[in-house]
């Protein structure tokens, strides 16, 4: 039984260190803005233990177990998270004017990349003898935690803003969790979950304060490094809410480069909605960057991001930057991604596509640079937003005449010379 590959937990604000064997969330030396802890590894031990071939065959994220902050004796709580495909996206790439690939992380077990982190949380909670896990969430982390708690046989009690999309409130209840819908914002739900953790001692999965969570998110960086080792992209693009994901990815990318597994690292582009742009604002030097979040991209509707420091370090360290996009651009991106590549993302998952458009327009991404967009969440979790973009369905009577009225008669398949070519007029868009 050993955790000897984890050296210490180090405060990102004051450098104080803590014992990784104890459940510590944040550095107690600070009031107000939390001192987020960083997990520091002994890379000699990690490198020694990591003996998998970097051949692109990735069954799930536990391929990188040597890098994960779990005891060598711990039995993983897994639903096969990670190992998601990196797809060529030529039609969408043409539209955006870049050489594009898409990492489709919406295909994780609960429909969101957060499963990477939750798998670590559930593994550590069960191994540590905890009975109850909790978190606050805009929806996806809650659903993810509920699924993995069920898998692990743990009780799950989660706090979500009452305004979360219906699908995200139903999913965790199917997994048997207690869902406590807080009459307030995500930020208020978050503060309540911290008080509850203090009062009851439940294991808190909140990625921004639980230093081990972000460590699971690193595996998206490990996978990208492995999957792109012979063609490292110029840019990797993420949406940002609390900022843990982009920071986790950067740590994974950097580790693989520093250990010599790959030659280089890409630049990171972080994307936020105009109505929830605190990390973007902080990165570009704004003093007072906390806001009240206002966006339909609910998974990144974060007014007070908990991981601004780590996220800004990731953007700067990679030589990248941050952009904002409008909600309209996000919805357009969702349908563009769907109709060009057959990939259905929730708004926060499609935001990187809108971010690439913005970055192209601003001259941040040059024409024909190679770009990987990471789609973080699956579209069926939130059909409300998408409905605004696709409009109403076209109604027809069960008669061929109604179809003929739309497409012409079907004799030779080309009646009226217009075949099905103007099918786009059926979407009801703008009607
Ligand atoms: C949580 C989430 C994000 C943002 O991740 P952060 O770590 O909060 O920056 C992006 N997309 C989806 C689908 C999410 O669920
Ligand atoms: Zn500190």
């Amino acid at each position: 039984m050993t955790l000897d590959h984890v050296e210490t937990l180090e405060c990102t604000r004051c450098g104080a260190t803590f014992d990784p064997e104890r459940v510590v969330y944040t550095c107690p030396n600070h009031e107000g803005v939390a001192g987020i802890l960083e997990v520091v590894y002994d890379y000699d031990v990690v490198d020694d233990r990591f003996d998998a071939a970097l051949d692109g065959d990735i069954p799930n994220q536990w391929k990188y177990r040597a890098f994960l902050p779990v005891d060598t004796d711990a039995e993983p709580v897994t639903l096969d998270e990670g190992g998601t495909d990196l797809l060529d996206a030529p039609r969408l790439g043409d539209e955006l004017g870049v050489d594009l690939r898409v990492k489709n992380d919406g295909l994780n077990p609960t429909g969101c990349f957060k499963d990477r982190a939750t798998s670590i949380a559930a593994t550590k909670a069960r191994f540590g003898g905890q009975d109850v896990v909790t978190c606050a969430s805009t929806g996806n982390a809650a659903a993810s935690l509920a699924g993995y708690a069920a898998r692990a046989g743990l009780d799950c009690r989660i706090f979500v803003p009452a305004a979360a999309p219906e699908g995200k409130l139903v999913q965790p209840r199917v997994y048997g969790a207690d869902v406590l819908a807080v009459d307030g914002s995500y930020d208020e739900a978050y503060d309540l979950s911290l008080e509850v953790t203090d009062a009851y001692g439940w294991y808190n999965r909140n990625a921004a304060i639980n230093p081990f969570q972000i460590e699971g998110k690193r595996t998206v960086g490990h996978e990208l490094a492995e999957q792109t080792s012979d063609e490292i992209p110029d840019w990797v693009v993420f949406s940002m809410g609390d900022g843990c994901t982009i920071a986790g990815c950067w740590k994974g990318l950097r580790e693989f480069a520093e250990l010599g597994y790959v030659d280089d690292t890409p630049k990171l582009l972080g994307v936020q909605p105009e109505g929830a742009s605190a990390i973007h604002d902080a990165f570009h030097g704004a003093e007072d960057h906390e806001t009240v979040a206002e966006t339909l991209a609910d998974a990144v509707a974060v007014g007070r991001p908990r991981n601004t420091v780590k996220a800004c370090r990731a953007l700067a360290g990679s030589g990248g930057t941050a952009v904002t996009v409008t909600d309209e651009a996000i919805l357009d991106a969702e349908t563009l991604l769907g109709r060009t590549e057959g990939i259905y993302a929730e708004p926060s998952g499609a935001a990187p596509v809108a971010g690439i458009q913005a970055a192209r327009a601003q001259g941040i991404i040059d024409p024909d640079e190679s770009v990987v967009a990471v789609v973080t969440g699956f579209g069926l979790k939130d059909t409300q937003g998408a409905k605004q973009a696709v409009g109403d369905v076209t109604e027809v009577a069960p008669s061929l005449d109604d179809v003929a009225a739309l497409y012409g008669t079907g004799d030779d398949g080309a009646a009226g010379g217009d075949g099905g070519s103007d099918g786009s007029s059926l979407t009801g868009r703008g009607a």
Side-chain angles (χ1 to χ4, degrees), residues 10-18 26-30 34-37:
E10 185 182 290
C11 176
T12 51
R13 295 190 65 199
C14 73
T17 58
F18 302 89
T26 52
C27 177
N29 299 342
H30 313 276
I36 305 286
L37 303 180

Side-chain angles (χ1 to χ4, degrees), residues 107-200:
L107 293 189
N108 272 298
T110 75
C112 171
F113 77 95
K114 285 190 167 67
D115 294 343
R116 295 176 183 274
T118 310
S119 170
I120 308 300
T123 299
K124 288 188 78 74
R126 186 170 72 181
F127 187 73
Q130 305 273 330
D131 301 320
V132 182
V133 291
T134 188
C135 75
S137 165
T138 58
N140 282 333
S144 180
L145 183 62
Y148 281 79
R151 186 79 177 159
L154 303 171
D155 283 339
C156 179
R157 295 166 197 164
I158 52 191
F159 299 87
V160 294
E166 187 61 22
K168 293 182 183 177
L169 294 175
V170 171
Q171 190 182 2
R173 284 182 286 152
V174 170
Y175 296 134
D178 289 350
V179 176
L180 306 167
V182 179
D183 183 12
S185 66
Y186 165 66
D187 296 287
E188 289 167 307
Y190 188 98
D191 290 340
L192 178 59
S193 86
L194 295 194
E195 285 176 47
V196 163
T197 302
D198 269 353
Y200 295 89

Side-chain angles (χ1 to χ4, degrees), residues 394-403:
T394 306
E395 292 185 8
V396 291
S399 101
L400 204 52
D401 290 347
D402 270 31
V403 179

Side-chain angles (χ1 to χ4, degrees), residues 406-409 413-423:
L406 296 167
Y407 300 105
T409 50
D418 63 358
S421 64
D422 68 351

